[in-house]
Amino acid sequence: MHTLSFLEPGHFHATLTLRTAHAAVSPEVFVYASPGPELDDFLALVERFNRRAERPTDWRPRVRLSADPLDQLLVERPGDVVVLAGKNGGKARVLRRLHASGLHVLADKPWLVEPADLAEIRASLAGGPIAREMMTGRRDAIGRLVKRLVDDPEVFGGFATEGAAEPAIEQESVHHFEKRVDGAPLRRPWWFFDARVQGSGAVDIPTHLVDQAQWLLDAAAGTPGEVPSLLAARGWSTRLPVDVFTRITGADGVPPELRGAVEGDALRVFSNAELTYRLRGVTVRATTRWEVSLPPGSGDTSRVVLRGRAAEIRVEQSAETLFRRRVVVEGRGSDAAETARHLARVLAGGEWAGVKARTVGSASHEIDVPPTLDVGHEAHFAELLDELLGWIDTGRRAAALSEWTLAKYTFLAEAAAATARDAAAAGR
């Protein structure tokens, strides 16, 4: 039986690890934090999980208030696993201290906010207890399906790299500062809007997108530790009205730490970036953007285009798709019947039972993924915790994943440095 400790749980991802019960986890969990709204929000969401009508949980938080929660945790050590999801600035140093003390850590992204964090990350991945990143994309059903299609030579044919006018992998995501989680308005801490604490646009959401590109390309020859080569990088700000900032954070006004980013009646939040790079001979472009408020009935949007020699695969979530992800495979140089045969073979039985491809053009096919398979982002955090506990119990180390993680942050350190001039121009 494992006992969990939560250190300064300032991000709702920490709570999502407790969204379901875990047979291998004691219901008594320890929370080391300083008093404030972030702790209150964490405990309120845990209580909501405990009281819900369907599949209620039975978590019993034991709160340890302290002016120095990390030191108190390291002295008391009530368990063997620490969940770390809060301020990103300084996270790499905290992670290293926990790891050096013999504790396994499940830590939210990004681990790196400034290039100097890289040395701490390298040490935490070098052996000893497991340091695992909260990276949910590889558990996603549609992500796994796309990975399966890309790996099939008859469906996709490998990435198009010769004479290509556009990147072979193109990723775009749009998120919103003001949104709802588990049916309730999401309150974010004020520091979420400070790139020095949360991480800039070059290192926050791109942590996910670079991970996905690494995963899509890991079937190619080469070592897991290959570092992407940065070709171009730019960053820019989103203007967040002060009244929306106070509504999201519950703050009375703009704190002193953010006043240098105030421009008129809005904050400049350095949250957006476009990175172009090459990995294993493939050009990738990743664009991430934050907008202010999520309109009622809508959702975050995303678009992925994968250009192969035999087909182009597109994954889109937008108003046009009713904010459910749509997967389209468009064959190149083949008729619709040939593409359909290859897709039918890949989708036959097993994990993809109930997933169907239907023709929507001369060589295009839309793949319908039932909602029962596409369970959503929030469900994956508890699965990540289960996976980590399984590794601990069996003594397994995912060495290749650690190498990919280090390579990713080596690249993101370069991207952060490359966009530092843009950050300075934005007043951050």
Side-chain angles (χ1 to χ4, degrees), residues 178-192:
E178 188 174 33
K179 63 192 299 184
R180 301 177 74 87
V181 172
D182 198 45
L186 174 63
R187 182 160 68 175
R188 299 186 189 272
W190 68 263
W191 50 256
F192 181 86

Side-chain angles (χ1 to χ4, degrees), residues 190-205:
W190 68 263
W191 50 256
F192 181 86
F193 303 96
D194 188 339
R196 298 164 299 188
V197 180
Q198 174 63 18
S200 70
V203 301
D204 188 6
I205 303 302

Side-chain angles (χ1 to χ4, degrees), residues 319-340:
E320 184 180 341
T321 70
L322 302 180
F323 299 99
R324 292 192 66 242
R325 284 174 296 171
R326 177 173 62 193
V327 181
V328 174
V329 180
E330 183 174 348
R332 298 180 186 273
S334 61
D335 60 28
E338 182 181 358
T339 304

